[in-house]
Amino acid sequence: MADPSSSSSSSFFQRSYDVFLSFRGEDTRNNFTAHLYKELRIKGINTFIDDDKLERGQVISPALVAAIENSMFSIIVLSENYASSRWCLEELVKILECKESRGQRVLPIFYNVDPSDVRKHMGKFGEALAKHEENFKENMGRVQIWRDALTQVANLSGWDSRNKNEVMLIEEIVSGILNYKIYIPLSDAEDLVGIDSSTREMESLLCMESIDVRMIGIWGMGGIGKTTLAGAIYDRIFNQFEGCIFFENVGEDLKRQGIDALREKLLSQILGCKNLNLIGRTSMWARLCSKKILLVLDDVNDSIVLEKLLPKCEWFGLGSRIIITTRNKDLLSMHGVKEIYKVKELEGNKAMELFSHYAFKRDHPKDDFMELSKDILVYTQGLPLALKVLGSLLFGRSKHEWEGELDKLKRIPNMEIQRVLQISYDYLTDNEKDIFLDIACFFLWEDNDYVAKILDSCNFFPTSGIKALINKSLITISDNKLKMHDLLQEMGREVVRKKSPKMPSKWSRLWNHEDIFHVLKRNMGTEEVEGIFLNLCHLEEKLSFTTQAFAGMNRLRLLKVYKSDISRTFEDTSKKANCKVHFSQDFKFHYDDLRLLYLHGYSLKSLPNDFNPKNLVDLSMPYSHIKHLWEGIKVLEKLKFMNLSHSKYLRETPDFSGVINLERLVLEGCISLSKVHPSLVVLNKLNFLSLRNCKMLRSLPSDIYKLKSLKTLDLSGCSNCENLKWLKELYADEGSLSASCLLPRNSINSICFMFPPLPDLCFLTKLNLSECNISDGANLSNLGFLSSLKSLNLSGNNFVTLPASISQLSQLKWLGLENCKQLEALWELPSSIEEINAYNCTSLTTLSSGFKLKGDPLLRPLELGSPESETDIPELLKASFSLFVPGRRIPDWIRYWNWGSEIEFELPPNWFNSNFLAFAFAVVYSSPLPLSHRSYGWVSADCNFFKSSDSSWHYAIYPQTTLRGGFESDHVWLLCVPFPPSINFDDVIRIKTSFDISLRKGFCAIKKCGIDLVYRNEEVNDNYTIMIQYISPPPGNSTLLLEETHEDDSIGSELSYDDSESENSDYYTSCEGETSESGWSYDGSESENFDYYSCEEETSEFWCSNGSESGDSDSSTIEEESFGRACSNDDSESEMRPQKRLKWSPNQDRED
C-alpha cells in the first residue's frame, strides 16, 4: 500500500490523495512506475501506489476503491500486459466511473504500446481480451465493459512513450500534473472559507519574485487555522519548486519518533532517497544547496525542531521558501524568523459561512435555525476549529437538540476543542500556568499594570510570564487590558475543574457564584483554595462570611466580593450597597498569603484589630460601612492600592505612616469624610488621589504639594474645601509623563473665577475644569502656561465663547465641552486638536475658519504599538480628527450620503493619487430614548474597500465615539481618517461603510451617514496646513478646497467665519454662489481679487447653478440627488476664485 511518508500535502481539501497510480506490476513496477512515483513524491504530489499488487479474487479491494474515489487524478500506465490483468481492468472501470461521477481527471500513459492497439483491441490487448472471453463465457457482459473502458481511455489525451527519453517523459508527466494545479479554488473549499485576505498577505510576505531564501512564520492560537492557511499557500505555489514537503503535526511526530527520525524523513523526501545514513548528513545537507525547496513545518512547539531541521538558510537553494506554523512566537524570533503572520479569528459573515458548511451543508443557516446559529457564533468567537466541531456535532439535529447542546456548553466545554486548546497550556512553565489560570479565572479585562503588581507579589514573575503567554497565543493586551479568547478562558477554567470535578472545595480558584455559595455555606473551604471572586450580581440568596467558612483556607491569595454593574453616579449609593453578603462580627480569615482584598459593601465599622496582612497589595472596600479603617499605624509595606470609595460613614482617613508605598488612593463619594490625615504627605509614591464629591471635606494637609509623584488629583465636587492655595505651589517633576488636576465644581462667583498662575505645571497633561461655573468674564489667561496639556475638560460651564488662551495649548488633543449650553461659537483652536466633544452644546451655531480636518503631515496613519497592543483588533484605522456637535444634517461638502446607517458608493476613475490624504465621514444620530435616561454606549464604524476582483479589505475605525445618555437632541459625528498604507488603493473601486450604535439601556438610531475624499493641493505652499477636497477625481484644475490655513494664523473652525475677508483668503468651494438652502450662508462682502476654479464637465458627477457675484443667498439654488450634489460647468470661469466664507448651520437640514 502507499507509503505514509508520501503524504506531503495536508488534508484540508478533504481528499486522501492527489494521484492514484494504476499499472501492471510485472511490466513496470521496478522501472518506469517506480521512477514516476519517486518524481511525484519529490514534487510533493501525494500519490497512492499499491506496492503489493496482489490480485486476489474477482474484484478489487475496498481499500483500492476508496483510494481511487479519494484521488483527484488517476494516471494509468497502459503497458503491453495491462489488459491481461482482470484486477487492472477493474481498476480502469472504477477510475472511469469516478471520472463521470466525481470529475476525476484521467491521464493515460501508453508505455511502449500503440494507442490504436488499445483503442481497437489489437495486438497484446486483443489477445488478452480474447482470453478473458474464453474464461468468462458465462459473464460476457463484464468483458464488454472492459472492452468499452479500454476504448474510452484510449480516446483520452495522454502520453506516448515510444521513441522518448524516459527521464524526460517522466519530467513532462509530472510537469503536466503540476500545470493542472493540484489546487481547489478557495471559494470551493469548505475549510478555506474566509482566508482569501490571509493568503494575499502571506503571498506578500513570501515575495516569490525574490531569489533569496526566506523563512515565514504563521502564528496563532490553537484551532485558529494555521495549518489550513499553510496548506492553501502550499497548494498555490508548490509547482514553482524543485522539491516540496508538507510536514504536518511536527510536534506530535517529535514526541513519537525523535528528532533524528524527523531529520531523516525530511532529507529522504526532499532528496528522494530512502534509508539515508545520517553519518554523512553534512554532504546530504550540501546537496540541498542546488535545490529550490518549499518546506512547511506545521505545529512546531520545540526549538530543537528548528535547530536541527533548519540549521542554516544557506543550506537551501536560492528561491527556497520555508513556512513554519506555531503557537509560540518566541520560537520564531529565536530562530531569526522576521516575517511573522498572525492568524486572526473569522469575522461574522465568514464565521457563519464556515459553520453552515458543517451544520447545514450549505453556506447559510436554515431560517428557523438562524438565532441558534448566532448563539454558536457568539460562543465560538470566530475560532475555525470550534465552528467545524460544533457544526459537525449539530448537523441533522432538531432545534430542541441544538438548545440542549448550547445549554450543555455553558457548563461543560466540548472535549475535542478542549484537547486542542490545552496543548498550549501543557507547554507552559509552572509560573506561566499560574499566571494563565489567574487571568482566565479572575483578571480578564483588568489593567495589565495592576495585575502585574498583584502577580509579582505572588512571586509569579509576571513581566516575563505575561510576555510568554502573549507569544504563545494565550492572551492579548489591548488598551493595556488583559484579554483572551472565550474558549481559552473556558479551557483554563476546565483545567482547574478537572483537578476534582465534583468537589469545588478542592479547586485552586473559585469564580462561579453557585460553587462559592456551596463551599462557604457548608464551611468546606480547604487549603487548595487560592482565590475567590464572587460577583454579587449573580447571587440569589444571602450568604454569610464567617470565620468557620474560611478556617481551612490558609493559602488564600485573592479574595474579591464585587458587583459588576456599578455605574459612575453616586447619588444612589444606598442602592448599591451589598445586601447579599453578611460579614459576621467576628469575621476573620488567614491573612498571611493575602495579596488582594476587595470587599464590596463590607458591613462592619472597622477592620479587625489583628488585621495585619504583610503581603497585601490591594485593599478595596467600596460602598462599605467603615467609619475608621484602623486605629493607629498599620505597617503594610507592600500595599499599593486603597479604594474606600462611596463609604458614606467614613469620617477620616487612617494614618498612612505605615503604607509608604501606596500608589493609588480612591476616596470618591465618601460624603462624611471631613479630614484627611496629615500623614498623607509621606506617600512619596502616590500618583493618583481622588476626593471627588467628598462634600464635607474642609481642608487638605497644607504641605500636600510635597507629593512629587502625584499625577492625578481629583477634587471636583469638594465645594467646601477651603485651603486650595497650595495649587500655586504644586508642580510635577520633569520626568513625569502625565499629570492631571481636577478642581472643585460650582464656584460661587463664576465671573471672578481665576485660574492661578502655574508656571511650574508645564508638564501637566490633563486638566479638568468641568462644572466650575466659568463664564465669559473668568480669567483663564494662565492656561497658556500649560505647554504639555493634552486633555482639557471644560464641560458644564457657562461661557459663550471659548477662552482665548486655549489657542496657546500647542499639545492639546482632546477638548471636552459637553453641556456648555451657552456656547455659541468655536473660534481659535490649536492645530494639534484631534477630538472635540460638544454634546448638548445646544446654542452652538458658528465654527471658525481656522478649524480644520488635519492636513499633511499631521494627517498621519495609525502608528500601532507593540504587537501585543494590536492583537485583538484584526484591522484598524485611526481617525486623526473627530468632532461631536448637536445637529441633524450632513455638511454640504460631504457629497456621498444616505439615509440610515450604511453607505456604499463607486469611486470615480483615477481617484487615488499622490495628493490623496484621507476619508471624511459624517454620522447623524438621534438622542437616546427615553430622554430622561442617562444611557451609556458607543457609536462604531466599519469600512470595506472593494477591488475590481471582488476581493476586499475590512477595517474598523478607531476610536469609537462614546455615548453618554442625556443629550437632548440629534447630534453629528464628523471624523477624518487617514488611508491605511497597507492597502494598494490603485485597484479599489468601491467603498462600503456602516455605522452601529450599542447602548446598554435605551434606544438610539442612526439617521443618515456620509463619506467623501480629502486631497492635498500641490499648488499650495508647503508652509500651509491644508484640507482640500476634489469634487471629482483629481482633474487638471478642478478642485474644491474646503479649508486652507497658514501656520501663523489662529486656528479655529472651517465651518464658521467672521464678517471680514482678507484679500489673500485661500478658501475655495466648487460652485460660486451657493446658498443657505443647503445649510450654508454667506457672511460679508466679496473682494475683487477672488479667483475661481470651475468643475470640468467630463469629470463632474453632480451639478449646481451659479449665483450672482454679490453673494446674495437668495440668488442661487442648489438641487441635491440621493447621494450628494455638485456643480455645473461654466467655461467662462477658468481661474481659481475664492468664495465667501461660509457659516454652517448644523441644525438646518439639507433638502434630503
Side-chain angles (χ1 to χ4, degrees), residues 867-907:
E868 297 89 82
S869 68
E870 59 184 84
T871 48
D872 71 323
I873 304 180
E875 304 291 352
L876 189 68
L877 294 182
K878 185 177 187 299
S880 64
F881 177 82
S882 60
L883 167 68
F884 314 94
V885 292
R888 65 174 187 270
R889 55 176 296 275
I890 302 290
D892 293 1
W893 52 269
I894 291 185
R895 298 167 295 146
Y896 305 99
W897 65 273
N898 194 20
W899 295 102
S901 61
E902 187 172 281
I903 180 169
E904 183 173 1
F905 73 97
E906 301 288 334
L907 288 162

Side-chain angles (χ1 to χ4, degrees), residues 26-208:
E26 66 183 46
D27 285 351
T28 64
R29 177 191 297 115
N30 297 322
N31 43 64
F32 178 81
T33 298
H35 300 153
L36 175 60
Y37 173 65
K38 176 183 177 181
E39 189 65 21
L40 289 168
R41 280 184 55 200
I42 290 174
K43 293 298 184 183
I45 299 173
N46 187 16
T47 304
F48 180 92
I49 183 171
D50 184 6
D51 287 330
D52 295 331
K53 272 296 178 186
L54 300 177
E55 303 178 12
R56 301 187 181 96
Q58 299 288 322
V59 295
I60 57 179
S61 69
L64 278 181
V65 171
I68 294 170
E69 290 179 343
N70 292 305
S71 296
M72 181 178 290
F73 293 82
S74 281
I75 295 179
I76 304 169
V77 183
L78 294 163
S79 57
E80 64 178 10
N81 292 309
Y82 185 90
S84 65
S85 168
R86 298 189 303 270
W87 189 279
C88 287
L89 292 172
E90 289 296 333
E91 280 184 0
L92 176 62
V93 170
K94 182 62 182 179
I95 288 169
L96 293 174
E97 287 178 2
C98 289
K99 177 180 180 294
E100 298 301 322
S101 62
R102 294 172 174 262
Q104 187 178 104
R105 293 182 182 273
V106 180
L107 305 172
I109 300 172
F110 301 96
Y111 185 72
N112 293 332
V113 298
D114 189 334
S116 64
D117 286 352
V118 181
R119 184 182 306 110
K120 298 178 181 179
H121 311 150
M122 298 169 60
K124 290 282 187 178
F125 285 85
E127 294 174 6
L129 290 171
K131 188 174 182 179
H132 289 319
E133 287 178 343
E134 184 178 341
N135 294 333
F136 284 88
K137 292 180 179 179
E138 297 179 357
N139 193 4
M140 293 297 291
R142 196 63 192 169
V143 178
Q144 186 58 45
I145 290 174
W146 294 342
R147 285 181 176 274
D148 294 341
L150 286 169
T151 300
Q152 184 179 350
V153 75
N155 286 322
L156 297 176
S157 298
W159 290 272
D160 187 344
S161 71
R162 294 175 299 172
N163 300 320
K164 284 191 176 182
N165 180 285
E166 188 169 298
V167 173
M168 294 180 63
L169 173 63
I170 289 175
E171 289 181 356
E172 183 181 339
I173 293 168
V174 174
S175 177
I177 294 288
L178 293 177
N179 288 336
Y180 276 121
K181 298 282 285 185
I182 302 180
Y183 155 70
I184 293 179
L186 297 182
S187 58
D188 296 337
E190 294 179 348
D191 285 5
L192 303 185
V193 170
I195 69 167
D196 295 47
S197 61
S198 297
T199 54
R200 285 194 299 270
E201 293 181 53
M202 274 293 297
E203 287 174 341
S204 175
L205 295 177
L206 286 164
C207 192
M208 294 301 295

Side-chain angles (χ1 to χ4, degrees), residues 198 218-221 224-226 229 341-345 384:
S198 297
I218 299 179
W219 168 55
M221 64 180 287
I224 198 69
K226 300 182 295 297
L229 176 58
Y341 180 76
K342 186 178 189 305
V343 186
K344 308 168 185 70
E345 294 88 349

Side-chain angles (χ1 to χ4, degrees), residues 2 14 42 118 224 282 284 291 300 340 404 495 510 674 725 804 847 852 918 932 950 1026 1040 1056 1085 1109:
Q14 303 300 312
I42 290 174
V118 181
I224 198 69
T282 302
M284 290 179 216
K291 278 185 173 286
V300 176
I340 301 175
V495 168
L510 295 171
S674 60
K725 60 183 180 180
L847 306 178
K852 65 183 179 61
S932 60
D950 287 335
I1026 57 172
L1040 171 59
S1056 73
S1085 58
E1109 293 187 4

Side-chain angles (χ1 to χ4, degrees), residues 590-617:
H590 296 280
Y591 307 133
D592 293 343
D593 287 336
L594 199 64
R595 269 70 174 183
L596 166 62
L597 179 61
Y598 187 114
L599 299 178
H600 177 98
Y602 181 70
S603 56
L604 304 183
K605 296 180 180 180
S606 65
L607 290 168
N609 291 331
D610 63 349
F611 180 79
N612 197 28
K614 300 293 186 181
N615 294 304
L616 191 65
V617 176

Side-chain angles (χ1 to χ4, degrees), residues 396-442:
R397 296 198 180 190
S398 66
K399 287 182 67 175
H400 179 71
E401 290 175 301
W402 276 52
E403 291 166 351
E405 286 295 334
L406 279 168
D407 289 339
K408 179 181 176 182
L409 287 172
K410 293 176 182 177
R411 291 290 296 179
I412 305 173
N414 179 277
M415 288 298 105
E416 186 175 351
I417 301 171
Q418 173 86 5
R419 177 182 55 80
V420 173
L421 297 181
Q422 191 171 331
I423 293 172
S424 298
Y425 174 83
D426 292 338
Y427 279 94
L428 299 177
T429 66
D430 289 342
N431 274 337
E432 291 166 357
K433 287 179 179 179
D434 278 325
I435 294 172
F436 174 76
L437 294 180
D438 272 357
I439 294 174
C441 296
F442 300 141

Side-chain angles (χ1 to χ4, degrees), residues 568 570-571 668 692-693 714-720 724 742-748 753 768-774 793 795-797:
R568 289 289 300 164
F570 66 93
E571 291 83 356
E668 174 183 350
R692 176 192 292 255
N693 295 317
D714 189 345
L715 294 173
S716 56
C718 299
S719 53
N720 292 313
L724 294 178
L742 299 95
L743 298 179
R745 299 178 179 176
N746 302 319
S747 299
I748 297 174
F753 182 96
N768 187 339
L769 297 177
S770 62
E771 299 184 31
C772 287
N773 203 19
I774 302 172
N793 191 351
S795 299
N797 286 299

Side-chain angles (χ1 to χ4, degrees), residues 2-12 15-19 37 40-49 234 244-249 253 265 269 296:
D3 180 359
S5 67
S6 68
S7 180
S8 58
S9 65
S10 62
S11 59
F12 24 80
R15 64 173 186 259
S16 300
Y17 303 99
D18 298 324
V19 171
Y37 173 65
L40 289 168
R41 280 184 55 200
I42 290 174
K43 293 298 184 183
I45 299 173
N46 187 16
T47 304
F48 180 92
I49 183 171
Y234 180 91
C244 309
I245 181 170
F246 194 113
F247 255 142
E248 286 191 87
N249 301 316
D253 286 351
K265 183 177 178 180
Q269 289 197 36
V296 177

